[in-house]
Structures are given as structure tokens and as C-alpha cells.
Amino acid sequence: MRNKIIAGNWKMNMDLTGSIELIEELSIELKYVQKCDVVFCPPFPLLLPVKEAMKNTRFELGAQNMFWEDKGAYTGEVSANMLLSVGCNYVILGHSERRKYFNETNETVNKRVQKALLAGLKPIVCIGETLEERESEQTRSVIENQLKYDLQGFCRDDVVNLILAYEPIWAIGTGKTATPDQAVEVHQFIRDLLSKLYDEELAQIVRIQYGGSVNNANARDLLGRSDIDGALVGGASLKAQQFAKIVEAGELNS
Ligand code: 13P
């Protein structure tokens, strides 16, 4: 069985004091968690203090993006080795907000994923359709296209080390969650694709998170489904009690 993975994507939120308070509260609240993986993805300047605040916990650290070059004159970018040096082991790549506001494409996502894997980071690769695409019944072709291009050139041993996050864009920050059935349908489609691109064993190993308005009220229903291997949580990851409930649902179903 794939154990669940709950990741909090803080996006461009929080400050030093607030982030430490949140981690300290959750360290106590989630002490009992043994099976569910819990990952925090704060903005770059907060990575190190968050890492320090989470010592003596099972929590893990992730970044929200990285560049594919090792070093050099790339103002504003960070490298895989920089992330590793502050204790990250995950990195979110290809988030729809990066694709929309910062012109990231399947090609640049692919380069980032390649570098992350080479460096030993576990990429959380985000894919998902817009409302327009869903309404015009293009969900499957969009997902297939993103998955094929984002994973182009990767062998089975690479793909074992990544996490996929299905994030329908129409569900992000809108309060409109995909129903468990809607999410499961796409997750199964993704698993079938992995099986075709690689093999069935691999398709059963790779964890697929759902993301888009996950909260304490819907987490149990979503995470109760065996095809949903976790959640990538935005807004609700900023509130200790809400996030704790989501992790509780993850632990219960791991
Ligand atoms: P919300 O949970 O705020 O909808 O955000 C989801 C998301 O984009 C996580 O990466």
C-alpha cells in the first residue's frame, strides 16, 4: 500500500515569526503521526528557519521551485544544491501558478524535474486542466500531454522517485473541490498512462496527490479513496488546526 503524503504549499505567504509558530504548534499536535508523510513547502527565505523549527519531528522540507542550472549569473534563481544544503528533500515543480504567471512550459518543467532527480531531490510534479478544458472535455488529452512532456526522457528508476500532483486549476483557491469521484477518475487515468509509458508495477508505486481546495471538511472523503495518495494543500496549510485535520485523515488512511 502507498502511504499518504500531505504537503503544505504555503505559496507566497507567512513570515518568520508566523512560520515558526505554525511548525511548533503542529509539532505537538502531530506527534502521533507515524505512517503519513508530512512535508512543508515554505517560501525560500523561510526554508532554513522552518527546518530548524521542525527538528525532532518526522516533518520534511520542500521548496516551491528551483532552476536547472548549478550556479551562475541567474539573478533571483536558486539551484538544487542550495535546496539540499538547507535540508530540503522535496521540490514542487510545474505548479500551475508558475506556468501561468512565470511562463513555465512543459519543456522548462522537464528540465527542472531532470535536474532535481539528478541532485537527489524528490520532485512533486503538478499537472491539471483549466475549467475551459474540462468543460470542453479535454481533461484527458491535457493531462496526457503534460505528463508525457514533463516526464520525457526519464527512465523507470527516475519516475520511482517523483510524486505527481493532480491539481485541477479550477479547484485551486476557489473553494470548488473536485469530488472524490472526479479526482479518482483522473488519478486512474494517470496511473493507466504510467502503466503504458513504463509498466504496471511502476504505475502502482508512484504516489499521486490531489490538490485544489483541500480542507478539513473534505480531506476524509478524498483521502479515504485508495487512488488518492495524498494532498497538496494551499490555503488550509496556513492554519494549524485545519492542516492537522488533513494530516489526521492521511494518517488514518495510510
Ligand atoms: P488551495 O488548497 O489553496 O486551493 O491551493 C492548492 C494548491 O495550489 C496547492 O499547490
Side-chain angles (χ1 to χ4, degrees):
M1 193 167 125
R2 299 175 294 266
N3 63 325
K4 308 277 181 193
I5 172 165
I6 311 294
N9 175 8
W10 291 2
K11 306 193 180 183
M12 200 175 74
N13 293 296
M14 287 293 205
D15 59 13
L16 184 58
T17 315
S19 61
I20 292 170
E21 279 170 9
L22 183 76
I23 298 295
E24 284 176 350
E25 189 175 342
L26 286 168
S27 309
I28 299 165
E29 193 80 32
L30 297 175
K31 229 183 194 123
Y32 71 94
V33 174
Q34 283 183 346
K35 291 176 281 182
C36 178
D37 294 331
V38 183
V39 184
F40 291 91
C41 304
F44 294 135
L46 303 176
L47 285 169
L48 194 56
V50 163
K51 180 71 186 173
E52 278 165 10
M54 59 169 69
K55 61 173 181 260
N56 306 322
T57 73
R58 289 179 68 253
F59 300 159
E60 293 178 282
L61 191 67
Q64 297 175 20
N65 191 26
M66 52 154 266
F67 192 42
W68 58 80
E69 293 292 347
D70 286 328
K71 60 178 179 170
Y74 303 106
T75 303
E77 294 299 322
V78 303
S79 71
N81 278 339
M82 290 172 191
L83 298 182
L84 286 165
S85 74
V86 293
C88 281
N89 43 359
Y90 288 89
V91 59
I92 299 172
L93 294 172
H95 193 281
S96 58
E97 288 150 14
R98 302 276 338 155
R99 294 181 195 251
K100 180 176 172 190
Y101 301 123
F102 303 97
N103 300 324
E104 289 193 18
T105 61
N106 287 329
E107 195 189 347
T108 61
V109 173
N110 177 270
K111 283 181 161 184
R112 288 179 161 82
V113 177
Q114 192 174 351
K115 184 66 196 191
L117 286 169
L118 201 69
L121 285 162
K122 293 180 200 157
I124 299 177
V125 183
C126 303
I127 52 179
E129 81 287 1
T130 62
L131 183 61
E132 210 178 16
E133 288 161 346
R134 173 160 280 264
E135 285 177 344
S136 57
E137 297 185 2
Q138 289 178 68
T139 302
R140 287 180 178 232
S141 59
V142 169
I143 297 287
E144 181 165 356
N145 199 43
Q146 287 176 338
L147 196 75
K148 274 190 179 158
Y149 280 104
D150 292 354
L151 303 189
Q152 198 166 40
F154 299 151
C155 66
R156 191 183 192 284
D157 289 348
D158 293 327
V159 181
V160 165
N161 292 315
L162 56 80
I163 314 277
L164 292 171
Y166 169 53
E167 295 209 310
I169 296 165
W170 49 272
I172 295 177
T174 57
K176 274 194 224 159
T177 325
T179 64
D181 283 347
Q182 282 175 320
V184 164
E185 192 193 333
V186 178
H187 284 217
Q188 284 174 348
F189 176 70
I190 294 170
R191 234 177 266 292
D192 284 349
L193 276 173
L194 288 174
S195 176
K196 279 185 201 133
L197 292 170
Y198 299 93
D199 57 69
E200 179 56 21
E201 194 190 29
L202 177 88
Q204 293 304 326
I205 294 173
V206 174
R207 290 187 289 181
I208 308 173
Q209 295 176 307
Y210 166 77
S213 297
V214 176
N215 58 36
N216 50 334
N218 57 32
R220 270 186 184 230
D221 283 346
L222 287 160
L223 295 166
R225 306 292 285 264
S226 62
D227 262 307
I228 302 179
D229 305 317
L232 185 53
V233 187
S237 71
L238 303 171
K239 297 177 188 117
Q241 288 311 309
Q242 288 216 21
F243 193 65
K245 285 276 175 217
I246 299 167
V247 174
E248 187 185 308
E251 179 72 0
L252 212 73
N253 291 289
S254 284

